[in-house]
Amino acid sequence: MDWDDDVDARDMLCPLPVLKARKRLAALAPGAVLRIVTTDPVAVIDLPHFCSEAGHEVLSSDADGTATAWLIRKALA
């Protein structure tokens, strides 16, 4: 799947991955897809919770070693 923007949040600890995602999503058009790569184990809780609260959709989360690549679709409204 393609994405519209990319954030490298490797080696950042909570809450920085969520804050980076929120800031970048705010700049994107509704329906755009953000890819964010994290290594913080807490991101598996924080990112889905943030998306649920903000109305964004987690399209996928693919772990590769210590990193997880997330695809998040920005809320339409």
Side-chain angles (χ1 to χ4, degrees):
M1 173 176 231
D2 293 331
W3 54 86
D4 300 292
D5 205 350
D6 195 38
V7 173
D8 183 355
R10 286 179 272 214
D11 300 323
M12 293 182 189
L13 298 177
C14 173
L16 289 177
V18 169
L19 295 175
K20 295 279 187 184
R22 179 173 52 182
K23 183 175 182 178
R24 195 65 60 92
L25 284 163
L28 294 176
V33 175
L34 173 69
R35 177 179 181 259
I36 181 167
V37 180
T38 63
T39 52
D40 183 2
V42 180
V44 299
I45 297 167
D46 288 349
L47 279 172
H49 177 73
F50 158 69
C51 290
S52 174
E53 292 293 313
H56 306 307
E57 179 184 4
V58 175
L59 300 174
S60 68
S61 62
D62 296 314
D64 181 17
T66 60
T68 302
W70 302 80
L71 290 179
I72 301 169
R73 183 179 316 275
K74 183 175 177 174
L76 294 176

